[in-house]
Amino acid sequence: MNRDSLSLPAKAWEQGAYRWFSSPIQVTGLPLLGLEDRETGIILSTTLANPEKRVAAHRAWAAARHSRSSKMAWEILSEMGERGVDPDQKIEATFRGYGHASVGDMARLTIDFAHVPMHLCMALFHEGVINSGQEKSTRYQAAFRHALLQPIHQYVPETFPREELQQVEKEYQELGYMAQAFFVKHQAALHTALAAYFAVDETDAQQRQALQSRVLDCTRSFLLLGQGSGMSFESSARDWSRLIALLKASPRRLYRRIGLQIETLLAPPKDIEAHFYKAEAPSLLRHTQPLDLINQNLRALKQYIETQTDLFKEVSVITEDPMLKAQYVRLLHPDATEGERLLAQYLLLLWPSLEQEQLLQWIHMQPLEKKHALSSLLFSRHSHYQELPSFARTTRLTLALRCCLGRCGILIGTVPGGVFSLCLSFLGQ
């Protein structure tokens, strides 16, 4: 599949900037529904359990019935079948009448992303409730020598002078070509050097594969976060709603567009469903309006810190030139409470160069009234519909890590629990 044509034997339908396509079960094993944004080149697709039924909604409603029914699961399902219950309609009524959003956690939906920048994959990993995704690994795929940068016009403000944009785009893409050249050049050189140093027998498939992985481990450091990648990401309908709301509120125009594209794929217009397949659970996507509350609270917190506290007099700001940093893992001192660690994470998001140990000590020593004021800013107007961000997850057992982004990616996939990253993809200006 490429940007210009879909190699699948698929039905296609154009609708504005969108291009819908589908693939039958005989080709892909499961019915597949896809949506390409021809303006950005980004392609989203999802597989369906049954093209004629809203399976995720059916399961979620059957599960929700347990709260009011003493019957067995098969009896509940039989009632639904006999009465011709429309689970999507029932779920919508439940949301509207009772405000129960929890049923949205009982429907799992998977989206496959193609031609998306690496930083989007990283942002979704960090912001997801659970780390339930797989990105194309730069560790194993030599194909990243061809990974292109997303066009810069998708990131600059719409007010950016058009006469300057062409030159900026040219210079920006030259960075991508440079990264590709370094990736290819050093891959070949490192392959030769490591093979000689470790005396690799390249006729042995296992040794050859291990060598290639080590070589890519080194050369992927030349890749840029704006270069294209792909991923598969799975979450609940409720969490997709939250992610869509965050994407729509992002300061990045590209992210706002992707948020709308995800929502359109999971809850397509009726004429698209008539032309292709039934979506899994469109009524489970609720409260997807832009969630700008976190940005608003961050702005209020920033103003309060700058005008009402002595933070910058007491806590050092690291101002040295960028350089290779020593990597470390440190367990935070148990004196810092969960709330104090939470505030530290918010402040590090605003000012990543604050010295961490001094920052925690400063927070710990604040008078109670200051802590109350700061807490009110963090939690202002949050509710079960407007949830706290992922970086608000914190426990008494907290590790501070300094490592490269590639290593962070591995940790995200292997370490259980929340991972906090200083990533402004969704938030900030």
Side-chain angles (χ1 to χ4, degrees):
M1 185 179 292
N2 56 55
R3 290 180 187 272
D4 301 318
S5 63
L6 302 170
S7 59
L8 288 171
K11 285 201 306 181
W13 185 275
E14 295 185 0
Q15 190 180 63
Y18 288 147
R19 182 184 186 188
W20 292 88
F21 62 93
S22 67
S23 177
I25 191 171
Q26 295 86 347
V27 176
T28 45
L30 288 172
L32 179 141
L33 183 64
L35 179 61
E36 178 185 18
D37 185 338
R38 291 179 296 175
E39 182 173 310
T40 64
I42 290 171
I43 301 172
L44 310 181
S45 62
T46 186
T47 54
L48 310 171
N50 187 323
E52 304 299 327
K53 289 184 178 293
R54 302 195 191 281
V55 175
H58 202 99
R59 287 175 176 161
W61 176 246
R65 288 285 296 128
H66 281 284
S67 66
R68 297 186 181 183
S69 174
S70 61
K71 296 182 178 180
M72 305 298 285
W74 52 87
E75 292 176 310
I76 292 173
L77 286 166
S78 295
E79 279 187 356
M80 292 173 67
E82 290 170 2
R83 297 177 183 176
V85 169
D86 180 348
D88 216 44
Q89 186 181 56
K90 288 289 187 182
I91 286 170
E92 190 170 7
T94 301
F95 271 135
R96 187 172 57 249
Y98 300 97
H100 289 180
S102 60
V103 69
D105 284 323
M106 307 193 75
R108 311 294 301 183
L109 304 169
T110 301
I111 295 180
D112 294 302
F113 295 76
H115 305 316
V116 289
M118 292 182 190
H119 53 74
L120 174 74
C121 301
M122 184 173 70
L124 286 173
F125 273 128
H126 284 301
E127 191 53 50
V129 170
I130 57 175
N131 302 319
S132 53
Q134 293 292 323
E135 182 184 356
K136 293 187 182 300
S137 176
T138 56
R139 185 180 187 179
Y140 298 108
Q141 299 182 45
F144 273 91
R145 69 176 64 191
H146 303 299
L148 298 174
L149 282 173
Q150 290 280 322
I152 200 171
H153 73 79
Q154 297 175 2
Y155 300 99
V156 299
E158 294 181 352
T159 55
F160 193 89
R162 310 310 295 177
E163 61 276 9
E164 298 179 23
L165 187 57
Q166 187 174 358
Q167 180 62 27
V168 171
E169 185 73 72
K170 179 177 179 292
E171 294 179 10
Y172 178 66
Q173 292 303 328
E174 285 174 356
L175 294 175
Y177 298 139
M178 185 186 300
Q180 290 174 343
F182 285 156
F183 188 88
V184 174
K185 173 185 174 183
H186 294 287
Q187 185 175 334
L190 280 164
H191 187 282
T192 302
L194 294 181
Y197 182 81
F198 291 106
V200 176
D201 179 3
E202 296 198 53
T203 63
D204 183 319
Q206 189 172 4
Q207 291 189 43
R208 188 171 63 251
Q209 183 176 1
L211 171 63
Q212 181 66 8
S213 295
R214 297 296 80 76
V215 169
L216 288 172
D217 270 343
C218 298
T219 54
R220 64 179 173 173
S221 62
F222 293 110
L223 296 173
L224 306 175
L225 279 177
Q227 286 177 265
S229 185
M231 72 181 303
S232 180
F233 195 82
E234 184 261 4
S235 196
S236 70
R238 182 182 187 179
D239 196 42
W240 276 119
S241 298
R242 184 181 64 86
L243 291 171
I244 291 167
L246 284 172
L247 285 165
K248 286 182 175 179
S250 171
R252 293 184 175 176
R253 184 155 39 95
L254 177 66
Y255 279 32
R256 296 197 297 271
R257 194 171 180 95
I258 293 172
L260 180 60
Q261 187 179 359
I262 294 171
E263 182 177 30
T264 305
L265 176 68
L266 296 180
K270 293 188 184 302
D271 60 330
I272 294 299
E273 287 201 310
H275 194 75
F276 294 105
Y277 308 132
K278 281 183 177 291
E280 286 281 296
S283 285
L284 286 173
L285 292 176
R286 286 290 179 270
H287 314 296
T288 57
Q289 61 272 20
L291 180 54
D292 194 45
L293 175 58
I294 303 164
N295 272 326
Q296 293 173 16
N297 288 352
L298 280 168
R299 286 191 287 270
L301 176 64
K302 181 175 184 292
Q303 182 180 17
Y304 183 88
I305 290 292
E306 290 175 338
T307 61
Q308 304 293 322
T309 73
D310 60 354
L311 173 69
F312 299 107
K313 293 180 181 178
E314 301 296 327
V315 179
S316 301
V317 177
I318 302 170
T319 57
E320 60 191 21
D321 292 335
M323 63 183 69
L324 184 65
K325 302 291 185 182
Q327 301 188 56
Y328 64 75
V329 180
R330 185 176 70 243
L331 184 65
L332 296 189
H333 196 281
D335 284 351
T337 67
E338 290 83 350
E340 290 167 352
R341 295 168 193 226
L342 170 62
L343 177 58
Q345 291 184 166
Y346 269 79
L347 295 178
L348 285 169
L349 187 66
L350 289 168
W351 297 287
S353 296
L354 291 172
E355 206 289 319
Q356 292 182 9
E357 290 187 358
Q358 292 181 22
L359 174 62
L360 279 167
Q361 181 64 19
W362 179 84
I363 294 171
H364 185 67
M365 298 303 296
Q366 291 304 297
L368 192 59
E369 61 271 18
K370 283 283 186 187
K371 290 182 177 179
H372 283 164
L374 290 165
S375 297
S376 67
L377 294 173
L378 302 189
F379 298 111
S380 176
R381 293 169 291 151
H382 278 295
S383 68
H384 61 301
Y385 290 137
Q386 300 196 89
E387 302 172 33
L388 286 166
S390 64
F391 60 82
R393 298 192 295 252
T394 184
T395 68
R396 187 60 64 97
L397 183 65
T398 304
L399 292 173
L401 299 94
R402 174 186 283 168
C403 55
C404 65
L405 282 173
R407 185 63 56 189
C408 283
I410 294 172
L411 287 168
I412 292 167
T414 56
V415 178
V419 178
F420 170 66
S421 172
L422 301 179
C423 179
L424 292 168
S425 296
F426 284 103
L427 308 165
Q429 301 301 324

